[in-house]
Amino acid sequence: AQKVTQAQTEISVVEKEDVTLDCVYETRDTTYYLFWYKQPPSGELVFLIRRNSFDEQNEISGRYSWNFQKSTSSFNFTITASQVVDSAVYFCALSGNNAGNMLTFGGGTRLMVKP
Amino acid sequence: DGGITQSPKYLFRKEGQNVTLSCEQNLNHDAMYWYRQDPGQGLRLIYYSQIVNDFQKGDIAEGYSVSREKKESFPLTVTSAQKNPTAFYLCASSETSTASSGNTIYFGEGSWLTVV
């Protein structure tokens, strides 16, 4: 069985602060994929990143960066110099070769960035 | 524009009524999905379809039904048997649903269903 845990249910920061969203996963699959999605107030889930289990390189995209560590089964997401527009709910998700392409979602972290 | 279109955005249903949520995609994706999201919670899989004329139950299929007569369409019917239908429903699609493919799943804008 797969499981994704986002222990932080809600985070509040002031604009320009850096913030890290934690994601811990459990899977028995040898090949698996990790995802982050952003859900703004409008409701749509916006895809941010996909990572496969064989690629542990950290990734940076503008103010966003991701830290994948297989040793601790974590895939954390950092926003640098946060902005009000970053306010949203962020979901971490996992799919594995034994689950087909089915995504297992974490409970989400609500990020509030105050001006 | 390419993407996934869900309608209606907001829907009110009386108890005991069936209601159908529409989902259309023009991405030429083989696989389509329906997820349910309750306030403050994550997403749970209701049904998925890997190919036309085929679909499988997800984790919470009871009280729901689907059809996949066309590649681009995957409507969800919330039946009167669903005990707590008030929720946010998200339709999604991906290129394929083959094991270990790891294809990215893309989502529509969602539909809010409220039972009155």
Side-chain angles (χ1 to χ4, degrees), chain A residues 45-63:
Chain A
L45 258 71
V46 177
F47 165 72
L48 295 178
I49 190 171
R50 183 187 80 166
R51 212 55 170 163
N52 75 55
S53 52
F54 298 108
D55 183 0
E56 287 193 70
Q57 269 195 329
N58 290 335
E59 179 150 343
I60 298 174
S61 176
R63 296 184 297 107

Side-chain angles (χ1 to χ4, degrees), chain A residues 31 33 35 37 39 41-47 50 89 91 95-108 110, chain B residues 9 33 35 37 40-43 45 48 50 88 90 94 96-110 112:
Chain A
T31 300
Y33 301 83
F35 302 79
Y37 288 87
Q39 187 176 42
S42 60
E44 179 182 4
L45 258 71
V46 177
F47 165 72
R50 183 187 80 166
V89 180
F91 289 98
S95 73
N97 52 339
N98 286 324
N101 206 35
M102 302 309 118
L103 280 179
T104 299
F105 282 87
R110 179 176 299 279
Chain B
K9 179 72 173 179
Y33 314 80
Y35 285 87
Q37 185 179 22
Q41 311 242 342
L43 280 71
L45 183 64
Y48 64 98
Q50 298 178 326
F88 186 53
L90 282 155
S94 62
T96 67
S97 179
T98 55
S100 74
S101 64
N103 283 301
T104 298
I105 295 179
Y106 296 95
F107 288 81
E109 294 186 348
W112 289 95

Side-chain angles (χ1 to χ4, degrees), chain B residues 29-43:
Chain B
H29 285 173
D30 285 327
M32 296 187 74
Y33 314 80
W34 275 104
Y35 285 87
R36 169 179 170 144
Q37 185 179 22
D38 292 283
Q41 311 242 342
L43 280 71

